[in-house]
Amino acid sequence: GESVGLHLPTLSVQEGDNSIINCAYSNSASDYFIWYKQESGKGPQFIIDIRSNMDKRQGQRVTVLLNKTVKHLSLQIAATQPGDSAVYFCAENIAGNQFYFGTGTSLTVIP
Amino acid sequence: DTAVSQTPKYLVTQMGNDKSIKCEQNLGHDTMYWYKQDSKKFLKIMFSYNNKELIINETVPNRFSPKSPDKAHLNLHINSLELGDSAVYFCASSHRGGTETQYFGPGTRLLVL
């Protein structure tokens, strides 16, 4: 399988601050990436995706940055809210085959 | 209505038993998946079916046997359960597979004693 890792397994932020969750991937052929959010007791939920021909994509309060040179992906959450507390996964895909998921970062928002 | 549903939500059983987990999706998707999530939250694909046909079969013990009676259902049967099978099992579906967004079920928490 492929290696998709995260720099930090846990992250705590104050409510209202911005959060940055990082992900390193190992296969330079990966051409599509997704960030998932998994709340306690639930299944992963799609947040945002990005293709390798882009280096930035924005959603509602979330931004994904892709640096193909160093094989690094980040998820930025603006004005973090208590409801953002969850485990966040990055997943990579190569040429439309299966996704490989990272181990996850647990985000805790402190009120 | 729940898009991807799994039953049971919790499953506690003895080592050596045989058990099944059921999954149903009402999204009209063609592709369904089974993932295993371990205690460290690592999520790994086990199987993928497209229109009832097996397309991904990762290195999984043959004690695990998926079965897709129709494209809306993908069940997972596990024979001779072992302690190491304890995990959360997620079913997911996507429109056509590949890079299509996968929608996950709520998970089945399996504990083998």
Side-chain angles (χ1 to χ4, degrees):
Chain A
E2 305 298 329
S3 171
V4 182
L6 294 169
H7 293 308
L8 294 172
T10 61
L11 178 66
S12 295
V13 297
Q14 289 290 140
E15 182 178 356
D17 287 352
N18 296 335
S19 303
I20 300 176
I21 300 170
N22 296 304
C23 178
Y25 62 95
S26 61
N27 197 320
S28 56
S30 295
D31 54 10
Y32 181 64
F33 304 86
I34 292 181
W35 278 100
Y36 280 90
K37 173 186 180 183
Q38 185 179 15
E39 295 178 82
S40 181
K42 297 183 179 180
Q45 182 180 17
F46 173 92
I47 303 174
I48 192 167
D49 61 354
I50 189 167
R51 296 199 177 273
S52 58
N53 60 354
M54 304 171 69
D55 52 25
K56 181 179 180 179
R57 189 152 193 233
Q58 287 185 292
Q60 190 175 20
R61 283 201 307 118
V62 294
T63 301
V64 55
L65 299 177
L66 175 62
N67 185 331
K68 295 181 289 293
T69 303
V70 295
K71 297 197 286 273
H72 183 267
L73 195 67
S74 69
L75 176 71
Q76 300 178 1
I77 305 174
T80 314
Q81 302 169 1
D84 295 327
S85 292
V87 176
Y88 290 82
F89 295 93
C90 69
E92 63 176 326
N93 189 291
I94 304 170
N97 293 314
Q98 72 237 44
F99 282 94
Y100 294 95
F101 284 76
T103 52
T105 292
S106 177
L107 174 66
T108 300
V109 180
I110 304 166
Chain B
D1 283 343
T2 305
V4 182
S5 60
Q6 296 178 227
T7 54
K9 185 170 184 179
Y10 298 96
L11 184 54
V12 182
T13 188
Q14 296 287 334
M15 210 166 42
N17 285 351
D18 303 338
K19 291 293 178 185
S20 292
I21 306 171
K22 295 185 176 181
C23 178
E24 176 181 1
Q25 55 94 4
N26 62 5
L27 298 166
H29 288 166
D30 287 341
T31 307
M32 296 184 72
Y33 311 81
W34 276 111
Y35 285 86
K36 179 180 180 181
Q37 186 173 50
D38 63 23
S39 58
K40 296 180 180 178
K41 298 289 189 182
F42 184 66
L43 198 61
K44 184 171 169 53
I45 191 166
M46 300 172 68
F47 302 103
S48 173
Y49 269 73
N50 183 273
N51 264 320
K52 302 193 296 175
E53 183 179 339
L54 181 66
I55 56 173
I56 293 174
N57 184 352
E58 288 292 293
T59 307
V60 177
N62 57 15
R63 298 182 294 104
F64 290 78
S65 52
K67 188 167 185 179
S68 182
D70 55 63
K71 74 174 192 177
H73 295 85
L74 180 61
N75 303 323
L76 183 65
H77 188 76
I78 315 170
N79 288 325
S80 303
L81 277 155
E82 299 178 357
L83 296 177
D85 297 332
S86 296
V88 182
Y89 292 84
F90 285 101
C91 176
S93 73
S94 67
H95 186 41
R96 280 188 297 261
T99 59
E100 298 271 346
T101 300
Q102 295 181 18
Y103 295 84
F104 285 79
T108 294
R109 287 136 191 88
L110 171 65
L111 177 61
V112 182
L113 302 174

